[in-house]
């Protein structure tokens, strides 16, 4: 079964500082990987995704993520955080085949607080 | 593109009544829709997978007679919480996916259910 771990429950950064949110996954084959962002009381917005190819993926709002197979990681980065980036971030792994095809398994989420 | 809506955004009902939540894909045909439940400060838990024109597939531990799912068209799925009780109070989020979205799930804004 697939699983996702986001080790950091809560991260606080200053506006303008760089950001890295960690994500580790467990999956038997090459996974589909996603990062979503959720503002309070809202649904999830897709930031970026990895299916195959270039392991460095660019997303919206200046975010990027790098797939590292050897480390089973898909960390999210942003060089300079804005106050509007404060939200909760979810990493998810999707099954590329088998009986769980298309299903997403989410990590526990990381709450990002941005100080002015 | 890939916009998903939910209605209502929030609902309050009395214990014992039934509540219907609608999920619509606005600009694409969703071959598959998913229903998630999110408790406060927790991640999303998949409840069921709904394919257009066929019966929903429920995750282990989800009562199919309590959470009725209908996916009658390629743009609409409904979740009916039958005989709701206070413990059913939660944030319910749907997502939709199709080959047109490159197998990526796009999420609705969520429905806040409060059962009194």
């Amino acid at each position: 079964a697939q699983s996702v771990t986001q080790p950091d429950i809560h991260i606080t950064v200053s506006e303008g500082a760089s950001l890295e949110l960690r994500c580790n996954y467990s999956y038997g084959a090459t996974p589909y990987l996603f990062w979503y962002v959720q503002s309070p009381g809202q649904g999830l917005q897709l930031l970026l995704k990895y299916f195959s190819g270039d392991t460095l993926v660019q997303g919206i709002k200046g975010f990027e993520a790098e797939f590292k197979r050897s480390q089973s990681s898909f960390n999210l980065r942003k060089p300079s955080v804005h106050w509007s980036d404060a939200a909760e971030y979810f990493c998810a792994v999707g099954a590329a085949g088998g009986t769980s095809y298309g299903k997403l398994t989410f990590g526990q989420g990381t709450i990002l607080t941005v100080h002015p | 593109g890939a916009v998903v809506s939910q209605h209502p955004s929030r609902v309050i009902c009395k214990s014992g009544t039934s509540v219907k939540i609608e999920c619509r894909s606005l600009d694409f045909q969703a071959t598959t829709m998913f229903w998630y439940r999110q408790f406060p400060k927790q991640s999303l838990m998949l409840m069921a997978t709904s394919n257009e024109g066929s019966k929903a597939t429920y995750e282990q531990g989800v009562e199919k007679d309590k959470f009725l799912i209908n996916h009658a068209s390629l743009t609409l799925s409904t979740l009916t919480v039958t005989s709701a009780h206070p413990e059913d109070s939660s944030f319910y989020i749907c997502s939709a996916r199709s080959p047109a979205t490159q197998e990526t799930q796009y999420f609705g804004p969520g429905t806040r259910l409060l059962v009194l």
Side-chain angles (χ1 to χ4, degrees):
Chain A
Q2 60 215 52
S3 66
V4 179
T5 300
Q6 293 179 244
D8 305 304
I9 297 174
H10 196 166
I11 283 184
T12 300
V13 299
S14 298
E15 190 169 16
S18 63
L19 172 70
E20 182 170 35
L21 302 182
R22 296 183 291 165
C23 171
N24 293 96
Y25 68 90
S26 173
Y27 185 66
T30 300
Y32 294 161
L33 294 162
F34 305 83
W35 274 100
Y36 288 89
V37 60
Q38 183 181 35
S39 297
Q42 302 295 316
L44 276 68
Q45 181 183 23
L46 178 68
L47 287 177
L48 47 78
K49 61 188 177 184
Y50 172 79
F51 283 1
S52 64
D54 193 346
T55 57
L56 185 61
V57 180
Q58 302 297 321
I60 63 171
K61 303 185 179 185
F63 285 94
E64 67 177 26
E66 186 172 11
F67 170 56
K68 292 185 177 180
R69 184 189 303 275
S70 62
Q71 299 177 19
S72 297
S73 69
F74 188 58
N75 294 348
L76 181 71
R77 300 193 294 253
K78 185 169 184 177
S80 178
V81 171
H82 188 263
W83 63 266
S84 60
D85 293 325
E88 188 160 17
Y89 292 79
F90 290 95
C91 180
V93 60
T99 57
S100 297
Y101 173 67
K103 293 184 180 180
L104 291 181
T105 300
F106 286 86
Q108 301 91 322
T110 298
I111 298 172
L112 174 65
T113 298
V114 180
H115 281 167
Chain B
V3 179
V4 178
S5 70
Q6 275 183 248
H7 178 80
S9 57
R10 58 180 62 207
V11 57
I12 301 173
C13 69
K14 293 182 179 180
S15 185
T17 61
S18 294
V19 174
K20 180 184 284 189
I21 302 170
E22 293 186 349
C23 177
R24 293 181 185 271
S25 56
L26 298 185
D27 52 1
F28 68 100
Q29 293 185 323
T31 49
T32 307
M33 287 184 168
F34 302 85
W35 287 94
Y36 295 84
R37 185 172 180 176
Q38 186 179 30
F39 290 102
K41 301 187 185 303
Q42 294 189 25
S43 188
L44 282 75
M45 298 299 296
L46 178 65
M47 297 174 66
T49 302
S50 167
N51 291 299
E52 186 267 337
S54 62
K55 289 184 178 180
T57 303
Y58 291 81
E59 295 300 300
Q60 193 171 11
V62 178
E63 300 176 60
K64 61 182 180 182
D65 294 331
K66 179 164 189 65
F67 298 100
L68 301 179
I69 292 172
N70 183 279
H71 191 164
S73 78
L74 285 172
T75 60
L76 174 64
S77 176
T78 60
L79 168 67
T80 301
V81 184
T82 62
S83 186
H85 291 284
E87 57 266 30
D88 298 324
S89 299
S90 191
F91 193 53
Y92 292 89
I93 308 177
C94 73
S95 71
R97 186 197 77 194
S98 79
T101 66
Q102 297 180 316
E103 305 307 329
T104 298
Q105 291 185 32
Y106 288 87
F107 286 80
T111 297
R112 176 77 59 191
L113 170 63
L114 177 61
V115 184
L116 301 177

